[in-house]
Amino acid sequence: MKSQNEWFDEYAVSHQNITNQRIHFVCVPLIFFSIVGLIMSIPAAPIENLLGFAYPALTNWATPILLILMVFYLRLSFKTFFLMLLFSLLSLYGNYLLSDVAPLLYTSIAIFVLAWIGQFYGHKLEGKKPSFFKDLQFLLIGPAWVFEKMSR
């Protein structure tokens, strides 16, 4: 597995333009948030039955998937793990709150589509393809790179 610095250095190659970076600072977290919402939209009766209780902010399909992703982030660094864990918990709770005021599935789809439009516009300005065209793991590196840059 590549080191965190290797991943970030390779990701940074197609993210030099300051406008593209700013677009990423908004759109990457929105995409992550919307994917959590999309996964939370899947009926979670099997999880609720297994656990014997229902608390929608935690008893949903996004929670076990995010726990698995945390292993990837922990292998990069503890700081990355902590930042991504914090944002994952905020995403779970934010989507839970969002589901009380709007249809979560449709709202998540709208956020997802609009954020990707922003991403592709940023890459058009950059003049380089998104990194995930080279390696799908960059879809996981993107949020970590954004939060790492924001935390400096």
Side-chain angles (χ1 to χ4, degrees):
M1 183 170 159
K2 294 180 189 176
S3 73
Q4 177 171 280
N5 288 338
E6 290 172 322
W7 280 114
F8 286 177
D9 289 347
E10 193 172 342
Y11 190 82
V13 168
S14 60
H15 300 89
Q16 297 297 308
N17 179 291
I18 192 68
T19 303
N20 186 29
Q21 287 181 19
R22 289 179 179 150
I23 289 169
H24 275 62
F25 289 169
V26 173
C27 292
V28 167
L30 284 174
I31 290 168
F32 188 96
F33 180 85
S34 68
I35 291 171
V36 171
L38 289 169
I39 298 169
M40 285 178 71
S41 299
I42 301 168
I47 293 174
E48 294 166 358
N49 292 338
L50 179 68
L51 296 175
F53 67 92
Y55 181 67
L58 293 175
T59 53
N60 59 69
W61 290 107
T63 300
I65 291 170
L66 288 169
L67 287 173
I68 293 167
L69 290 180
M70 290 307 112
V71 173
F72 175 82
Y73 293 122
L74 185 58
R75 291 183 67 182
L76 293 178
S77 78
F78 184 76
K79 179 182 176 184
T80 298
F81 164 77
F82 180 75
L83 292 171
M84 291 307 300
L85 177 63
L86 181 61
F87 188 67
S88 295
L89 292 171
L90 289 171
S91 294
L92 286 166
Y93 190 65
N95 275 292
Y96 167 70
L97 294 176
L98 182 60
S99 70
D100 283 342
V101 296
L104 187 57
L105 176 63
Y106 299 117
T107 305
S108 296
I109 290 170
I111 293 169
F112 184 84
V113 169
L114 291 172
W116 272 110
I117 290 170
Q119 289 285 88
F120 283 110
Y121 175 72
H123 279 286
K124 181 178 168 97
L125 294 175
E126 182 82 41
K128 295 185 178 163
K129 294 179 185 176
S131 300
F132 75 86
F133 284 147
K134 180 179 177 185
D135 186 336
L136 286 177
Q137 291 180 82
F138 281 112
L139 292 171
L140 298 176
I141 294 300
W145 180 82
V146 165
F147 292 123
E148 175 66 29
K149 285 194 74 83
M150 287 179 165
S151 69
R152 289 183 188 168

